[in-house]
Amino acid sequence: MATHTSATPPEDSPTAASYRISSVIAEHAKLAFIPPYLEPIRNYKMYQYHGVNFASAGAGALSQTFKGMVIDLRTQLKYYKREVAELSNRIGQAEAAIISSSAVYLFSIGTNDYISPFLLNSSLLSSFPNSEYVEMVIGNLSMVVNAIYKRGGRKFVFLNLGDLGCLPGLRILKPETEGGGCLEEASNLAKLHNKALNKLLSKMEQQLNGFKYFLYDFKSNLAQMITQPSKYGFKEGEKACCGTGRFNGIFSCGGKRPVKIFELCENPSEFIFWDSYHLTERAYKQMADEMWSSEATTEANSLKKLFLCF
């Protein structure tokens, strides 16, 4: 979660969409790069005029997601409240309210909540019906968005979820005898999430005065890239550039990982997937450019207007 833009998830996190996409959006909006909220040395004026980043690599909406290794969404909200209070103390409540209402709040959340049980061999998913599990994720997101709205936030950006089962790291969980297709259990969770997210945002737009949002269809755009890579200038739509095993889906691409052996493609820009779970920089940039240039039918759903209009 971030005001204006977010940054952070590094290469060793299960998702980095918000990092790559928000960085490009920041360039389009002519904003400076925003360092993490917990940066030891903070330039307060940069935070005041360019935004604050609360994102945490691998975080989910649920506190159980990669617990102990990430800053979950509720904790990010706590930091946000602290930041708003500090801003009010420094420049006064009236000025802080103007900043809060003109800021754009970007959310890219949910992927880790749904893929972590598969990666950690957790029984969490089996403890709840899929619909109930999705309700918990959406419920936490709703709580955080409402809390920001109560503190003046009015302009929000969201990404829905792609077919999670088609990530190289989840494809390899399908038996080789099944042709290496997508892991349907994970993709079905993403479908339920996207449906619930659409319903939530539509409800908020109707019930919350001044609430505006832009929802990027990450799912459809990624699916088109995977099935028609050449149309978007790629040569490979399923296999990752870096990793090992089928589809290079084993998460071994450098860093402190159990598997130390990996192969690396010569030209990452020809691949849609960089590693088991992340897209390449080129793929993320294409999506961010499309988000910025897209002209929706209503003012509330135009990303560019959210940034340029007060």
Side-chain angles (χ1 to χ4, degrees), residues 51-73:
V52 184
N53 162 40
F54 303 98
S56 173
L62 302 178
S63 60
Q64 301 97 318
T65 300
F66 294 118
K67 190 172 184 177
M69 297 182 282
V70 301
I71 301 171
D72 65 85
L73 191 60

Side-chain angles (χ1 to χ4, degrees), residues 132-297:
E132 188 175 329
Y133 187 82
V134 171
E135 284 177 11
M136 291 192 298
V137 174
I138 292 294
N140 274 15
L141 174 60
S142 174
M143 181 276 297
V144 171
V145 173
N146 273 292
I148 294 173
Y149 177 86
K150 289 179 181 178
R151 285 163 177 77
R154 292 296 180 270
K155 300 188 288 186
F156 297 84
V157 178
F158 303 89
L159 282 72
N160 68 12
L161 304 184
D163 288 325
L164 300 180
C166 296
L167 297 172
L170 293 189
R171 275 185 186 271
I172 61 173
L173 299 182
K174 290 274 285 188
E176 225 172 326
T177 55
E178 295 184 18
C182 302
L183 187 66
E184 293 180 5
E185 297 94 322
S187 293
N188 287 339
L189 284 166
K191 288 179 184 178
L192 290 173
H193 175 94
N194 292 343
K195 184 177 180 180
L197 179 61
N198 279 328
K199 184 177 180 180
L200 170 67
L201 296 180
S202 178
K203 181 179 179 181
M204 285 184 161
E205 187 177 38
Q206 294 174 11
Q207 297 182 349
L208 302 179
N209 184 40
F211 179 88
K212 298 180 180 181
Y213 74 93
F214 175 87
L215 174 61
Y216 179 62
D217 192 357
F218 185 88
K219 177 189 185 309
S220 295
N221 287 282
L222 179 57
Q224 290 175 24
M225 283 186 175
I226 292 174
T227 56
Q228 305 177 69
S230 60
K231 180 180 177 181
Y232 298 89
F234 300 100
K235 291 185 178 181
E236 176 57 56
E238 296 181 352
K239 181 181 178 180
C241 167
C242 187
T244 189
R246 287 191 300 139
F247 301 104
N248 275 346
I250 296 175
F251 199 41
S252 62
C253 191
K256 299 178 180 179
R257 302 195 173 96
V259 180
K260 303 297 182 183
I261 300 174
F262 62 90
E263 65 178 62
L264 178 64
C265 68
E266 291 186 5
N267 190 355
S269 65
E270 295 179 347
F271 285 66
I272 292 172
F273 289 100
W274 161 247
D275 64 12
S276 308
Y277 308 106
H278 309 104
L279 306 188
T280 56
E281 183 176 344
R282 184 184 181 196
Y284 281 130
K285 186 177 187 306
Q286 283 191 19
M287 290 186 170
D289 288 341
E290 181 187 351
M291 288 174 68
W292 185 260
S293 62
S294 66
E295 289 295 336
T297 55

